Amino acid sequence: MRTSRPRPRFRSPLRGPWLTSVFGAVLLASLPIVIITGLLDYVAYGQGQGIPGDVGLLRLPGFDWPARPAWLFRLTQGLHVGLGLVLVPVVLAKLWSVIPKLFDWPPVRSLAHAAERLSLLLLVGGVLFEIATGLLNIQYDYAFGFSFYTAHYIGAWVFIAAFVAHVALKLPTMIRALRSRSLRAELATPRERTESEPPDETGLVAEDPAPPTMSRRGALGLVGGGVLLVGVLTAGQTIGGPLRGAALLLPRGREPEGDFPVNRTAVAARISAADTGAAWRLTLGGLSLSRPDLLALPQHTARLPIACVEGWSTEQTWTGVRLRDLAALAGVPEPASAFVTSLEQGPFAQATLNAAQVRDPDALLALRVNGRELSLDHGFPARVIVPALPGVHCTKWVRSIEFRSV
Ligand SMILES: Nc1nc2c(c(=O)[nH]1)N[C@H]1C(S)=C(S)[C@@H](COP(=O)(O)O)O[C@H]1N2
Ligand SMILES: [Mo]
């Protein structure tokens, strides 16, 4: 039943419940992974750190993020950001496929229809907001007038609620539509033989379809190609190796020869040479240790990743003093947590480590990396590096460590 109200004409013969459902099925299988890894990252980041800020009722029952396996955060963060990025073409294709619905007329037909449209608004708005804030965080870290973590987290819950409602409402339609055509047959159909899906009540099929400019096979190939392209442009940031050079979407994913990415340089963090010179001391409870003092303590070497919220990660060989040795030195042989401060002021000025993170045999106050002194940009004179600890808490330019027995 359609009124004669003029509406924009969408005439692509490709639009229809089958094509929308193919995109929908891909997202249904993959978005839950993005959601779950995102929530895990929230736990890894947020425990005891005060970020995200106060999210009220949305606060998740947290658990202590473990220090093992060492690659855990690299995996959850890499999947969250990597999959989130490669799915962008699929999300855009799905939005394209349902554009006629946005011009539904009359806009509200019944209470149920109004509820459906509101959930669609939250769904589309939510996913675009998450993509936009995520991308901005990668490209222009800390360029927000608001907290990225809080905004992305609250946006996530809006999206999750709308996503669950949408799946519950549309699942039967999706299954029916997927069964209405054979994927194999579509993949064998060239443009000349491409025809509209039969008209149905979904309102997706064009009433007066234009001749096809592309087959469904071509459309799926285009989206698949987009996914591959984004994949090639981003995978290097996590996998490293030769692909790292192709990680164009990630400014900090590209590194100088023989070095690894720097999240924020010493200059940007306003660390002065005087702060880090011979007069530098590590404050350890009542103790005050110079860099030579630290180098005289037993040194331990471990190969450990840094994984950043921006999605890039890397594995390097770190050498320094075990945190648990420092705790013993400070008179806290059974540390329950450690409070670390940096010479730097601002958002990275402090971090709290939990018991597993402090006690791990590979948890270090690193003085060297890859057999050389730490560079100023990587945190000279000393920085924290702990297995599975989010990069953001691997504090550079450490000023003090306070081990706590509670
Ligand atoms: N003091 C301080 N520590 C810091 C940061 C910072 O900006 N200031 N950046 C953090 C972030 S977000 C990451 S991912 C890692 C990156 O370490 P790198 O720059 O040595 O690669 O350092 C962490 N430690
Ligand atoms: Mo980071």
Side-chain angles (χ1 to χ4, degrees):
M1 183 187 72
R2 196 150 275 150
T3 58
S4 59
R5 173 98 195 179
R7 22 180 276 156
R9 295 201 312 160
F10 295 101
R11 299 188 57 201
S12 169
L14 300 190
R15 278 200 192 87
W18 183 82
L19 190 67
T20 293
S21 296
V22 170
F23 296 138
V26 171
L27 293 175
L28 179 58
S30 52
L31 280 178
I33 301 176
V34 180
I35 292 171
I36 289 166
T37 51
L39 293 177
L40 285 173
D41 289 348
Y42 160 86
V43 171
Y45 257 77
Q47 279 302 291
Q49 309 290 349
I51 53 168
D54 193 9
V55 289
L57 290 176
L58 293 178
R59 184 169 290 283
L60 278 181
F63 54 90
D64 274 352
W65 189 253
R68 296 287 157 174
W71 43 260
L72 181 64
F73 185 73
R74 195 177 190 197
L75 178 75
T76 56
Q77 179 65 28
L79 270 179
H80 179 67
V81 177
L83 207 50
L85 283 171
V86 300
L87 288 177
V88 169
V90 185
V91 169
L92 295 180
K94 179 143 197 295
L95 288 179
W96 172 85
S97 78
V98 297
I99 271 184
K101 298 288 268 184
L102 304 182
F103 294 86
D104 234 4
W105 202 267
V108 172
R109 275 184 254 127
S110 65
L111 208 59
H113 185 233
E116 191 202 326
R117 298 213 67 180
L118 180 69
S119 83
L120 281 184
L121 186 74
L122 296 178
L123 185 75
V124 175
V127 80
L128 293 179
F129 181 81
E130 292 303 278
I131 291 173
T133 48
L135 279 175
L136 279 171
N137 187 57
I138 293 169
Q139 296 297 323
Y140 309 100
D141 53 332
Y142 334 120
F144 290 92
F146 50 89
S147 158
F148 162 75
Y149 305 96
T150 311
H152 199 69
Y153 184 70
I154 292 177
W157 279 111
V158 171
F159 173 71
I160 292 169
F163 181 66
V164 169
H166 188 67
V167 171
L169 277 169
K170 297 290 180 169
L171 195 62
T173 312
M174 184 187 94
I175 293 172
R176 215 180 318 120
L178 285 177
R179 289 200 177 128
S180 70
R181 301 176 94 78
S182 135
L183 177 64
R184 189 172 298 178
E186 286 303 330
L187 292 180
T189 306
R191 178 176 58 84
E192 311 80 67
R193 285 198 281 116
T194 297
E195 284 172 0
S196 277
E197 294 185 43
D200 77 338
E201 79 288 1
T202 61
L204 295 174
V205 181
E207 283 166 48
D208 51 346
T213 52
M214 184 191 277
S215 61
R216 285 191 188 80
R217 165 176 79 184
L220 294 178
L222 196 66
V223 176
V227 167
L228 266 179
L229 180 68
V230 178
V232 168
L233 293 183
T234 57
Q237 64 169 336
T238 321
I239 297 165
L243 261 183
R244 177 90 67 184
L248 297 181
L249 294 180
L250 302 137
R252 276 160 297 274
R254 279 166 290 152
E255 65 233 60
E257 264 308 295
D259 196 8
F260 56 96
V262 169
N263 172 270
R264 206 145 66 107
T265 62
V267 169
R270 295 169 194 269
I271 297 295
S272 75
D275 293 336
T276 57
W280 175 84
R281 294 290 180 276
L282 171 73
T283 305
L284 201 65
L287 302 175
S288 177
L289 303 177
S290 68
R291 202 164 187 279
D293 291 340
L294 289 167
L295 283 165
L297 294 170
Q299 304 289 301
H300 178 73
T301 296
R303 191 142 177 92
L304 292 176
I306 288 190
C308 182
V309 65
E310 295 158 8
W312 65 266
S313 61
T314 180
E315 209 176 73
Q316 307 294 332
T317 304
W318 306 88
T319 304
V321 185
R322 282 181 163 133
L323 291 181
R324 65 183 194 194
D325 290 354
L326 288 175
L329 199 63
V332 190
E334 305 267 287
S337 64
F339 181 71
V340 181
T341 70
S342 171
L343 296 173
E344 177 189 358
Q345 307 296 312
F348 300 93
Q350 59 198 56
T352 306
L353 309 181
N354 67 32
Q357 291 161 346
V358 178
R359 295 181 187 191
D360 192 280
D362 284 347
L364 301 178
L365 180 67
L367 305 167
R368 303 166 65 80
V369 62
N370 301 326
R372 290 188 298 269
E373 297 291 342
L374 278 179
S375 67
L376 196 54
D377 284 342
H378 285 306
F380 183 90
R383 74 166 304 157
V384 167
I385 181 88
V386 171
L389 181 67
V392 67
H393 300 320
C394 296
T395 306
K396 304 196 279 193
W397 314 294
V398 170
R399 176 201 296 276
S400 70
I401 306 178
E402 191 188 313
F403 293 99
R404 297 168 175 170
S405 46
V406 280

